[in-house]
Amino acid sequence: MNVTISAELNNMTDSELISVVRCNKSGKSGRDAVSVLISRYLKLVLKRANFFSDNYYDVEDLTQEGILALYKAIESFDPSKGAKFSSFADACVSNRIKTVAAAFAKNKEHRCDISSDDSDIAVSDASPEKICLERENSRSINREIVSLLAPTEIKVFELYLDGMSYKEIASKLEISEKSVDNAVFRIRKKLKAFLIR
């Protein structure tokens, strides 16, 4: 990537990058804009993949699925609908990773049978009524997840989703890193059970 173009693109907002992608989809600047967006949200993909997996191979697979979902989010995002790309990308990535993680948990032997369809990608042109229903559904799921977790696990979970490291969480909650690690392990186990029920 040309250094000047890279600096220009890196300084653009998500919506501006989406516009570059739309205007130059097959051109170099369009491809570069996609690269910038993917690198900008790679940490989110890795965080979601790590959270829903408990071994190296699953993390690798889930990361790949998350990157594909992110790419589809870039292609399907519509800034005119008023949503932020960061929220849309998070929904798309999280939905895809949760779907694949649940499939892994249900049937570890048949990973290749998981089709990469778009049914778990958020739709940016949903009606206000549909958005309200989805938000209520999301709140309901969040309440259910919170009911599964112990008070310390809830705090660890929230800080983990905010991108804090085990060390930062331990410091903030005044507990050991080992306690954080154990809490994350228990949370993953509970969430996997919740996803496959």
Side-chain angles (χ1 to χ4, degrees), residues 45 63-73 93 96 116 121:
V45 172
T63 299
Q64 289 173 4
E65 291 291 341
I67 290 170
L68 287 173
L70 179 57
Y71 183 75
K72 288 177 184 175
V93 168
R96 182 63 190 157
S116 182
I121 300 295

Side-chain angles (χ1 to χ4, degrees), residues 153-169:
E153 291 169 351
I154 293 169
K155 291 175 190 169
V156 168
F157 184 56
E158 288 170 349
L159 296 173
Y160 185 86
L161 290 179
D162 285 341
M164 286 189 161
S165 67
Y166 284 16
K167 186 175 185 176
E168 291 169 328
I169 295 170

Side-chain angles (χ1 to χ4, degrees), residues 142-150 154:
N142 286 341
R143 283 192 297 268
E144 208 165 334
I145 288 171
V146 166
S147 74
L148 298 171
L149 306 178
I154 293 169

Side-chain angles (χ1 to χ4, degrees), residues 97-114:
I97 287 177
K98 286 176 192 175
T99 300
V100 175
F104 283 179
K106 278 184 183 174
N107 194 353
K108 290 246 179 203
E109 293 172 11
H110 300 294
R111 287 187 188 176
C112 346
D113 294 344
I114 300 168

Side-chain angles (χ1 to χ4, degrees), residues 115-148:
S115 63
S116 182
D117 63 19
D118 293 340
S119 61
D120 47 7
I121 300 295
V123 178
S124 65
D125 61 350
S127 67
E129 296 83 11
K130 193 170 185 179
I131 291 170
C132 285
L133 286 172
E134 286 173 3
R135 281 186 185 151
E136 185 51 44
N137 187 32
S138 176
R139 285 188 201 108
S140 172
I141 290 169
N142 286 341
R143 283 192 297 268
E144 208 165 334
I145 288 171
V146 166
S147 74
L148 298 171

